[in-house]
Amino acid sequence: MQAIINGIMLGGFYAAMMLGFSVIWGVMGVINLAHGEFVMVGAYLTWLMSDGAGIDPFVAILLVFPIMFVFGYVLQRVLINRIVDRPHLVALLVTFGLSIIMANAVKLRYTATPRLTDTALSGVWSPYGGVTIPRTKTGILVVALLIMAGLYLFLHRTKLGKSIRAAAQNKQAARIVGIDVNKIYAITFGICIAITGVAGALISSTQAVFPFMGPPLTLRAFTITALAGLGSIPGALMGGITLGLVESFIGIYVEGIGTNLAIVASFALLWVILVTRPQGLFGGLRPAEEPQPL
Amino acid sequence: MRKQRKLWVLMLVLAMVAAACGSDDTADTTSAPPAATTTTAAAGTDDTTTTTEAEMIPCSTSTPDGCAGTILLGAAVSETGRFSREGKDTRQGYGTWVDWLNEEYGGIKVGEDRYLVELIQYDDEGDADTAANLVERLITEDEVDFLLGPYSSGLTMGTSAIAERYDVLMVEGNGASETIFERGFQNIFAVLTPAGNYTQSAIKALADAGAETMVIAYEDTAFPTSVGAGAVKWAAEYGVEVLAEETYPLNVADVSAIMTKFRDLDPDIFVGGGHFNDALLFVRGAKEAGWTPKGMVITVGPSNPEFAAEVGVDANYIIGPTQWEASMSWSDEWFGTAAEFAARYEAKWGEKPSYQAAESTATGLALHLAIELAGSLDTDAVRQALRDLNVDTFYGPIDFDDTGKNAGKPMGAIQILDGATQVIAPAEASVADLVYPMPAWDER
């Protein structure tokens, strides 16, 4: 029981954390290697608000979201837009460079000392029989679900969202029917970075925030994207929770080396998915037939 | 479709290689031009200032014609990457010694002559391969006379093998894993207490207070593994039963599975071996599992004053092994008492010294004293002098055994009480009484 709770909590966080990565890839075909660094920047923003003004991380989300949206929007207009139609390698190089710049800029400004934020939610509920529900992680799960539901509704119910999906499916056709693809890309990137920043805000109270926390998160986002399918929101949730449950069960029920073995298992799972269902568990935004510029 | 799939496979293989190596993506920057990763001279000061100082400052009044020369030292120490925090302490510790030596002491005495010291430091990015390459470069291209150690046992393992191959002495203060000293190397000397003894004072104090059962979790890398093995040994020694041992990988992001498992075993003490970030995870993890052990002993994190500052009230009552604290009673004729060293360090760097900083200064001091004892810069003479060295310093006694470990220094333990680190063991150095059992998380 505890393993299930831990797994779902972990999965909810994973899902929120990787969503932006997956959607950017799905819509623009850009693999964002600086993804973990955007989480880190969001976490630092939260820490600044929490440490400087005593704002609770869960409240800070409301501020982090618009700030990161503007950051993402501008970054797309200035930098990412230039690499959207270029070969994948260019995108990899540019975002990798970006990740180094961001990590080291934060280190120069705020030093490498690990930070942590405090939330009023901290603590546990113990409903019955030794099972505990960590309150902070429940909060994270709720926010993650809200974000996912919000994004899903946005993409499927609003005109702008439909334009984004149209641009993802066929850029030329979208242009022909009068959609400003560049603007759509900038908005998508802004939203994704905003969500990623919020994920950073969420984890700032459960784990150490430091300038070089990004790369393992990017790696994890990559894994879950493969598991879930590009840009698929239900896929992100299920992929995240699948991984969370696998890690949690193996971690709890294998003696001695459980936490280590869980990492092995998650990659083994990835191999299996890749061989049997290369489009991911739940498919995704981008149709598999579309040719990819390499 | 096929290209898409190819790309996926390529990326995933890359991702897995990166994960398997347990390294950051930043490791990929090893091929960057040297200038990009190079920082020279004492931490905080750049190359040019140190060189100018070396030329301007008279070595000593006793030698009329000034300095006989400059001793070139080299070290690969993390400035970026996962050890960037501890690496900063290490750099500042080295810098404290270099500046004191050149500006106040007037250079190392070798016979009648005085030698200033120049320290070349490169950023190893926390990556073992990078560190090894940089140390090789320090030896072959920069032609340093002696090496100082990097931060962490893992990096010391690799870099000391390079030093051994080229027969260059490496004195270090931040690689405590026993395995470093079990390879029969002749050129590695460490001023710090080895990892196996880290938890000794803490477990003894807890056993004396009535603890009977214990669980251990540690990262499966060199230093934490030695800490874990040592904790098992000391538990047996002091009659504490070990209920479970868990390992976890590098860069772990979640320890809730481990904490849940431990909670259900209900042991008296939790022992965690890892680095700074893991310490934060353990405290949050225990709280989220709704589990308050009677005592929590965690390496590296708690003894750093930043830990209590970041974790807040939850940090209270956590116990941490410490190589050194400013309140300890050690003293020497060079840096004065431990407290005087701390004041000097704080004036220079604007923050209190962690023990990593103190042991880094002591590393430089040990090499300095050995060179003076040898009266020569010859590697064999200095190696013998290091073995013969037996001094008390602000950092504690330094007395190297045949393997290069410091056999003279006992390990201390601190407990965080009201947000401040207080030495609670060993008895002769303690300034506060152990609080045991610790109060529940929500009763603080």
Side-chain angles (χ1 to χ4, degrees):
Chain A
M1 187 62 198
Q2 189 71 52
I4 294 173
I5 292 172
N6 287 358
I8 291 175
M9 302 270 168
L10 193 60
F13 157 65
Y14 281 162
M17 192 269 290
M18 57 70 72
L19 202 55
F21 179 84
S22 165
V23 171
I24 288 175
W25 191 349
V27 172
M28 290 181 236
V30 170
I31 300 170
N32 179 15
L33 287 185
H35 182 77
E37 277 67 28
F38 287 109
V39 178
M40 181 266 297
V41 169
Y44 265 92
L45 276 177
T46 313
W47 170 72
L48 284 174
M49 292 177 205
S50 159
D51 206 52
I55 302 173
D56 194 278
F58 283 94
V59 180
I61 290 171
L62 300 174
L63 291 167
V64 170
F65 191 89
I67 294 173
M68 292 298 284
F69 176 82
V70 173
F71 183 38
Y73 188 91
V74 172
L75 196 68
Q76 151 72 19
R77 282 274 151 153
V78 176
L79 183 70
I80 307 293
N81 208 21
R82 292 162 206 275
I83 58 170
V84 168
D85 290 328
R86 307 282 294 279
H88 273 299
L89 190 62
V90 177
L92 291 180
L93 281 175
V94 167
T95 54
F96 183 55
L98 200 60
S99 76
I100 294 177
I101 293 171
M102 285 164 71
N104 285 284
V106 170
K107 194 207 95 178
L108 282 178
R109 181 70 186 81
Y110 298 110
T111 78
T113 307
R115 312 291 186 181
L116 202 59
T117 60
D118 252 324
T119 158
L121 277 183
S122 154
V124 289
W125 289 299
S126 313
Y128 66 93
V131 174
T132 56
I133 302 176
R135 276 187 281 187
T136 313
K137 284 186 175 164
T138 310
I140 292 175
L141 182 67
V142 169
V143 175
L145 288 173
L146 286 176
I147 288 174
M148 276 180 276
L151 189 66
Y152 188 84
L153 290 177
F154 172 72
L155 284 179
H156 289 263
R157 295 287 150 81
T158 66
K159 198 168 172 216
L160 192 58
K162 286 176 181 168
S163 307
I164 291 176
R165 286 197 298 142
Q169 278 171 7
N170 192 328
K171 199 172 148 185
Q172 291 304 334
R175 222 170 239 150
I176 288 165
V177 299
I179 295 172
D180 180 349
V181 174
N182 284 346
K183 193 176 153 204
I184 291 295
Y185 279 180
I187 290 173
T188 310
F189 200 79
I191 291 174
C192 289
I193 295 307
I195 291 174
T196 308
V198 168
L202 293 175
I203 59 166
S204 65
S205 60
T206 61
Q207 55 178 285
V209 177
F210 63 109
F212 305 99
M213 68 192 285
L217 294 175
T218 307
L219 191 67
R220 194 50 58 88
F222 201 93
T223 315
I224 307 168
T225 304
L227 209 61
L230 284 184
S232 154
I233 295 166
L237 185 61
M238 295 319 291
I241 288 179
T242 307
L243 199 69
L245 285 174
V246 167
E247 289 193 6
S248 169
F249 267 91
I250 295 180
I252 288 184
Y253 291 112
V254 177
E255 286 296 314
I257 54 163
T259 307
N260 271 303
L261 198 63
I263 307 290
V264 177
S266 62
F267 277 97
L269 186 68
L270 191 57
W271 274 113
V272 174
I273 298 285
L274 205 62
V275 171
T276 56
R277 272 188 74 85
Q279 72 273 42
L281 277 177
F282 297 86
L285 267 180
R286 193 176 270 257
E289 296 81 34
E290 206 212 346
Q292 271 287 316
L294 251 180
Chain B
M1 169 74 187
R2 177 168 296 171
K3 277 186 175 175
Q4 169 100 357
R5 192 188 292 192
K6 257 189 190 168
L7 182 78
W8 267 111
V9 173
L10 175 75
M11 287 303 295
L12 285 166
V13 168
L14 279 177
M16 284 183 208
V17 168
C21 298
S23 67
D24 298 340
D25 280 3
T26 48
D28 294 346
T29 56
T30 43
S31 55
T37 56
T38 305
T39 52
T40 315
T45 54
D46 64 30
D47 194 8
T48 42
T49 42
T50 315
T51 323
T52 334
E53 278 164 9
E55 282 157 12
M56 279 167 51
I57 293 171
C59 276
S60 156
T61 46
S62 64
T63 48
D65 28 320
C67 312
T70 301
I71 299 175
L72 199 56
L73 304 180
V77 189
S78 304
E79 195 175 356
T80 59
R82 66 194 202 99
F83 295 134
S84 48
R85 172 67 243 180
E86 295 94 335
K88 184 181 176 205
D89 293 334
T90 308
R91 284 168 175 258
Q92 292 180 356
Y94 288 159
T96 307
W97 170 68
V98 170
D99 290 353
W100 165 82
L101 183 76
N102 289 342
E103 291 164 20
E104 286 182 42
Y105 187 74
I108 298 179
K109 276 181 263 182
V110 181
E112 293 297 306
D113 298 324
R114 290 271 191 165
Y115 285 82
L116 292 186
V117 156
E118 188 187 338
L119 174 61
I120 303 173
Q121 293 184 98
Y122 294 132
D123 177 17
D124 61 33
E125 299 165 6
D127 177 66
D129 294 334
T130 310
N133 288 338
L134 291 174
V135 166
E136 189 147 18
R137 177 162 132 207
L138 284 166
I139 296 171
T140 57
E141 289 177 36
D142 299 316
E143 298 183 345
V144 298
D145 299 300
F146 302 100
L147 290 164
L148 300 182
Y151 177 81
S152 93
S153 290
L155 301 188
T156 306
M157 277 296 274
T159 52
S160 59
I162 307 286
E164 186 73 13
R165 196 202 307 157
Y166 287 96
D167 200 29
V168 175
L169 286 169
M170 176 185 275
V171 185
E172 58 106 346
N174 291 287
S177 171
E178 250 96 359
T179 47
I180 295 169
F181 311 99
E182 287 165 356
R183 297 172 295 174
F185 285 6
Q186 301 300 307
N187 294 310
I188 178 89
F189 292 88
V191 299
L192 75 180
T193 307
N197 296 350
Y198 260 51
T199 54
Q200 181 186 3
S201 301
I203 292 176
K204 181 171 190 301
L206 287 164
D208 290 346
E212 289 170 356
T213 52
M214 178 171 113
V215 288
I216 311 171
Y218 54 90
E219 183 187 284
D220 57 354
T221 54
F223 161 77
T225 304
S226 285
V227 170
V232 172
K233 186 180 87 179
W234 295 116
E237 174 97 14
Y238 300 122
V240 178
E241 184 191 355
V242 178
L243 299 182
E245 253 184 280
E246 287 284 331
T247 63
Y248 58 88
L250 197 66
N251 289 330
V252 69
D254 186 84
V255 294
S256 56
I258 293 176
M259 288 319 208
T260 303
K261 201 176 336 190
F262 283 174
R263 178 195 66 195
D264 298 341
L265 292 170
D266 195 25
D268 291 339
I269 330 173
F270 167 83
V271 175
H275 294 276
F276 198 102
N277 296 327
D278 310 349
L280 297 179
L281 286 177
F282 283 138
V283 174
R284 286 286 150 109
K287 190 174 177 182
E288 280 175 2
W291 173 45
T292 319
K294 290 179 187 160
M296 280 186 98
V297 182
I298 307 177
T299 54
V300 184
S303 56
N304 189 325
E306 304 268 9
F307 181 80
E310 286 305 320
V311 181
V313 287
D314 292 343
N316 280 333
Y317 311 108
I318 306 291
I319 298 164
T322 181
Q323 290 279 358
W324 177 88
E325 289 296 318
S327 60
M328 285 178 164
S329 56
W330 315 118
S331 71
D332 64 31
E333 57 183 280
W334 304 283
F335 286 97
T337 62
E340 283 164 3
F341 167 79
R344 167 194 291 273
Y345 183 95
E346 196 171 352
K348 187 168 177 58
W349 305 107
E351 59 183 11
K352 293 186 191 309
S354 63
Y355 74 66
Q356 287 85 356
E359 64 201 15
S360 301
T361 303
T363 299
L365 185 62
L367 176 63
H368 159 196
L369 296 176
I371 294 173
E372 291 196 345
L373 185 64
S376 155
L377 293 178
D378 176 62
T379 299
D380 292 331
V382 176
R383 184 189 298 114
Q384 191 54 47
L386 280 163
R387 285 187 181 142
D388 295 341
L389 195 67
N390 186 356
V391 289
D392 286 337
T393 70
F394 74 93
Y395 173 70
I398 295 179
D399 179 13
F400 298 112
D401 67 13
D402 289 342
T403 63
K405 288 198 294 270
N406 183 359
K409 192 174 85 63
M411 194 74 183
I414 58 96
Q415 186 169 36
I416 300 173
L417 299 168
D418 285 332
T421 53
Q422 307 279 3
V423 179
I424 48 124
E428 61 268 29
S430 69
V431 294
D433 292 326
L434 169 73
V435 175
Y436 180 90
M438 67 178 198
W441 301 110
D442 50 6
E443 290 164 18
R444 300 181 172 195

